[in-house]
């Protein structure tokens, strides 16, 4: 039983069905493992008693359903954990910010985020909350009020962010899978730097209800797991229209947006690929020349190129395309995202919930002191930038221009998709950098160059392990699909993983 942590979702389902282990035993084994590797700082230590109680109740309920021969959900008894940006009734929620830790302790939500509720309804059992950058703002997990999570491939390196804890937990085999959120790359980038598989779906595919808002026009729920097949199972349970989120889509293309749709479309793709040696025959993969220019580390370029060769060997055709406004994605994103953040974060005022400063003489001072004490430096920087670009006199020069360019970036993708079905490239310009080297915010923003374009265009994207670069650190291959094409993405990634074993490698000691 000591090897339970090595199992992916299919093996877990099989083991549970064959009664080789219970959900309770599996979850306990993973919890013990997480405690043994607490130095990675993947889980947030918010309320251990609540975690134990909620986990025991959910795992026992799943085991009882199974024993009684009741109907089971597609993820029944599967242990996972949520990025601490999803609100949960079973556990506290902080968004890794001091702002959500009040005198009575960390914030407790009266409701579950819709994706959390959907995963529960599918039978999944949550083990707790995962570390991330404060309010999901960052790309290294160093902006967490609880300290950075550490990359298990080299504990002196960043895991990436903002969903750093999720990537670390999956990479170190503390969990088979975890939720994350992706506003400008926060699922794909940590997945790449930690050598796991990550999927950010189309904007509108999953509900944002109960996902603590950062930049509402960009925020999407996503998943990190050991394989594309596991990502497919999870996203299939999380997806669907939600009347509680005004931007969740009623239709995903021609079909109603609902749980089960991606799984059905993926099954159809698998069935249609009749030549097992060339499962990607007929698939055109576009390589944007702007994704392979200067600034891409040689070892990352080599690993990505090797991945592209693999896709070609599986039957795909590689074609050159152009996304001419790639460079502009950085200034555009770093205007729009802070603008929306400055508005979303105005609700944290020290009055209704979270941190409240002591000794304020009047209401204005209460706001000022609570927010000064509660928010970290990066969050404050974004609130200031966002307030500036939205202010009278600058709105037209910055915010309005950024919105226009955002549309042009989306149009560039549509032009590229005339010539291809998927787009491929790197996820990050380099492998994971050392912890503590991130004092320059602009350098951190520049590293988002390859993930921001798809976010601005609302497109689904994946990171798939494609080898190792400098220092033996993992490299991710990014695949970007057109809207609602998650099944195309997942099918290509799955075929890639059937022909490679990068996603199965574990860091030494794990
Ligand atoms: N690194 C980007 C940022 O700092 C993306 C974050 C995210 O996707 N949540 O905003």
């Amino acid at each position: 039983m000591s090897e339970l942590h090595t199992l992916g979702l299919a093996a877990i389902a099989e083991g549970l069905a064959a009664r080789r282990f219970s959900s309770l035993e599996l979850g306990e084994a993973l919890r013990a493992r997480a405690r043994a590797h607490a130095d990675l700082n993947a889980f947030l230590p918010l309320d251990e008693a609540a975690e134990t109680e909620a986990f025991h109740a959910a795992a026992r309920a799943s085991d009882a359903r199974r024993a009684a021969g009741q109907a089971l959900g597609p993820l029944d008894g599967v242990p996972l954990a949520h990025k601490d940006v999803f609100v949960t009734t079973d556990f506290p929620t902080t968004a890794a910010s001091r702002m959500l830790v009040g005198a009575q302790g960390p914030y407790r939500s009266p409701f579950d985020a819709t994706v959390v509720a959907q995963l529960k309804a599918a039978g999944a059992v949550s083990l707790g909350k995962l570390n991330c950058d404060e309010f999901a703002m960052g790309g290294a997990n160093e902006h967490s009020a609880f300290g950075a999570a550490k990359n298990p491939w080299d504990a002196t390196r960043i895991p990436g962010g903002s969903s750093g804890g999720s990537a670390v937990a999956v990479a170190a085999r503390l969990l088979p899978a975890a939720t994350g959120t992706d506003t400008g790359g926060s699922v794909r980038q940590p997945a790449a730097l930690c050598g796991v598989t990550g999927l950010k779906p189309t904007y509108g595919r999953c509900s944002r209800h109960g996902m603590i808002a950062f930049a509402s026009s960009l925020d999407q729920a996503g998943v990190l797991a050991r394989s594309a097949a596991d990502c497919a199972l999870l996203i299939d349970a999380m997806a669907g229209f939600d009347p509680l989120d005004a931007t969740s889509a009623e239709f995903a293309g021609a079909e109603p947006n609902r749980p089960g749709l991606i799984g059905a479309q993926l099954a159809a793709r698998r069935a249609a690929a009749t030549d097992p040696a060339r499962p990607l025959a007929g698939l055109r993969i576009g390589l944007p020349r702007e994704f392979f220019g200067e600034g891409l580390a040689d070892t990352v370029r080599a690993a990505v190129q090797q991945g592209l060769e693999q896709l070609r060997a599986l039957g795909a055709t590689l074609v050159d395309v152009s996304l001419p406004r790639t460079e502009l994605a950085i200034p555009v994103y770093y205007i729009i995202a802070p603008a929306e953040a400055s508005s979303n974060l105005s609700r944290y005022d020290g009055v209704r919930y979270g941190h409240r400063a002591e000794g304020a003489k009047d209401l204005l001072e209460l706001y000022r002191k609570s927010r000064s004490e509660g928010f970290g430096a990066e969050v404050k920087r974004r609130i200031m930038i966002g307030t500036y670009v939205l202010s009278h006199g600058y709105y037209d020069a910055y915010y309005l221009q950024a919105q226009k360019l955002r549309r042009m970036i989306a149009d560039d993708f549509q032009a590229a998709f005339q010539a291809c079905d998927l787009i491929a490239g790197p996820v990050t310009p380099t492998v994971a950098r050392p912890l503590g080297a991130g004092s320059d915010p602009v350098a951190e923003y520049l590293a988002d160059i390859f993930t921001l374009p798809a976010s601005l265009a609302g497109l689904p994207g994946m990171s798939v392990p494609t080898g190792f670069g400098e220092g033996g650190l993992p490299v991710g291959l990014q695949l970007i699909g057109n809207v609602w094409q998650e099944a195309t993405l997942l099918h290509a990634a799955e075929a890639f993983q059937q022909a490679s074993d990068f996603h199965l490698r574990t860091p030494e000691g794990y």
Side-chain angles (χ1 to χ4, degrees):
M1 257 341 190
S2 61
E3 298 303 301
L4 289 181
H5 65 274
T6 62
L7 307 179
L9 295 190
I12 288 174
E14 204 189 304
L16 288 169
R19 309 289 202 274
R20 274 201 295 281
F21 47 84
S22 65
S23 173
L24 191 68
E25 284 164 344
L26 174 59
E28 282 299 8
L30 293 173
R31 277 158 48 89
R33 192 171 161 80
R35 281 193 295 273
H37 293 292
D39 54 320
L40 291 173
N41 209 17
F43 279 89
L44 293 182
L46 298 178
D47 184 343
E48 212 188 309
E51 275 161 34
T52 304
E53 193 185 312
F55 157 65
H56 282 169
R60 288 198 175 110
S62 171
D63 289 335
R65 280 194 294 276
R66 197 177 293 276
Q70 289 172 10
L72 297 174
L75 298 170
D76 229 294
V78 170
L80 43 77
H82 300 297
K83 181 177 184 179
D84 199 31
V85 159
F86 293 98
V87 301
T88 46
T89 51
D90 291 337
F91 314 103
T93 305
T94 67
S97 180
R98 279 188 301 275
M99 196 70 217
L100 279 167
V101 182
Q104 266 80 52
Y107 172 71
R108 289 298 288 251
S109 169
F111 65 96
D112 278 325
T114 298
V115 299
V116 169
Q118 287 187 201
L119 286 167
K120 262 191 194 173
V125 172
S126 177
L127 300 190
K129 303 302 280 289
L130 295 161
N131 202 354
C132 55
D133 284 295
E134 184 176 6
F135 288 103
M137 297 176 192
N141 209 143
E142 289 181 307
H143 304 305
S144 165
F146 299 89
K150 299 194 172 88
N151 193 320
W153 292 91
D154 175 349
T156 69
R157 304 249 166 188
I158 60 163
S162 64
S163 312
S166 308
V168 171
V170 175
R173 281 24 183 180
L174 313 182
L175 287 172
T179 57
T181 67
D182 191 312
T183 301
S186 278
V187 163
R188 290 161 286 159
Q189 188 255 26
L193 299 185
C194 288
V196 303
T197 307
L199 166 68
K200 169 206 115 73
T202 310
Y203 183 80
R205 174 72 84 170
C206 293
S207 171
R208 290 185 299 107
H209 178 65
M211 216 172 99
I212 293 179
F214 160 15
S216 307
S217 76
L218 294 153
D219 296 342
Q220 253 302 287
V223 292
L224 299 94
R226 310 251 175 94
S227 67
D230 286 2
C231 285
L233 287 169
L234 290 160
I235 207 70
D236 200 35
M238 288 159 63
F241 170 63
D242 178 8
L244 297 174
D245 168 8
T247 61
S248 109
E250 270 193 88
F251 283 84
E255 300 242 29
N257 181 22
R258 56 171 173 84
L261 176 61
I262 295 175
Q265 290 171 336
L266 180 57
R269 292 209 152 253
R270 286 175 184 145
T274 44
D275 179 354
R278 293 168 56 80
L280 302 184
L283 188 77
R284 297 164 306 163
I285 298 183
L287 311 180
R289 73 178 69 96
E290 295 79 5
F291 279 31
F292 294 89
E294 269 175 62
L296 181 61
D298 290 342
T299 58
V300 173
R301 184 191 305 273
V304 168
Q305 229 121 34
Q306 207 189 343
L308 297 173
E309 280 314 315
Q310 176 78 263
L311 290 167
R312 199 211 302 267
L314 291 165
T317 314
L318 306 182
V319 298
D320 288 324
V321 296
S322 176
L323 295 172
R325 293 172 184 89
T326 296
E327 258 181 30
L328 290 175
I330 294 174
V332 168
Y333 173 89
Y334 280 99
I335 287 169
I336 292 174
E340 295 184 14
S342 70
S343 163
N344 276 325
L345 270 59
S346 65
R347 74 191 67 181
Y348 304 104
D349 56 7
V351 176
R352 277 165 295 181
Y353 37 63
H355 176 72
R356 178 180 298 181
E358 294 200 14
K361 287 188 295 296
D362 54 31
L363 190 61
L364 209 61
E365 195 185 337
L366 175 74
Y367 291 158
R368 193 164 50 229
K369 278 187 78 173
S370 300
R371 287 167 68 84
S372 302
E373 294 168 7
F375 291 134
E378 182 61 25
V379 171
K380 285 180 189 158
R381 184 177 297 127
R382 302 215 187 184
I383 292 172
M384 287 190 284
I385 294 171
T387 307
Y388 178 83
V389 298
L390 288 176
S391 60
H392 182 72
Y394 296 102
Y395 184 92
D396 289 357
Y398 293 104
Y399 187 71
L400 205 62
Q401 290 297 323
Q403 290 290 21
K404 289 180 183 166
L405 283 165
R406 179 178 186 178
R407 164 47 73 91
M408 293 165 101
I409 289 169
D411 289 346
D412 287 348
F413 273 103
Q414 291 314 315
F417 281 127
Q418 296 294 314
C420 62
D421 309 299
L422 289 182
I423 285 172
V427 182
T428 57
T430 64
V431 295
R433 66 163 167 80
L435 281 160
S439 51
D440 176 1
V442 175
E444 190 167 324
Y445 302 165
L446 291 177
D448 294 338
I449 177 119
F450 302 128
T451 52
L452 299 179
S455 295
L456 289 165
L459 302 174
M462 285 191 77
S463 176
V464 182
T466 191
F468 298 87
E470 207 187 310
L473 293 161
V475 175
L477 171 71
Q478 185 173 206
L479 296 173
I480 299 169
N482 209 340
V483 286
W484 316 122
Q485 296 300 309
E486 284 85 346
T488 314
L489 268 182
L490 286 161
H491 181 246
E494 184 178 85
F496 181 84
Q497 294 186 333
Q498 277 160 3
S500 63
D501 70 350
F502 300 121
H503 63 296
L504 301 176
R505 311 269 185 94
T506 46
E508 219 182 292
Y510 299 94

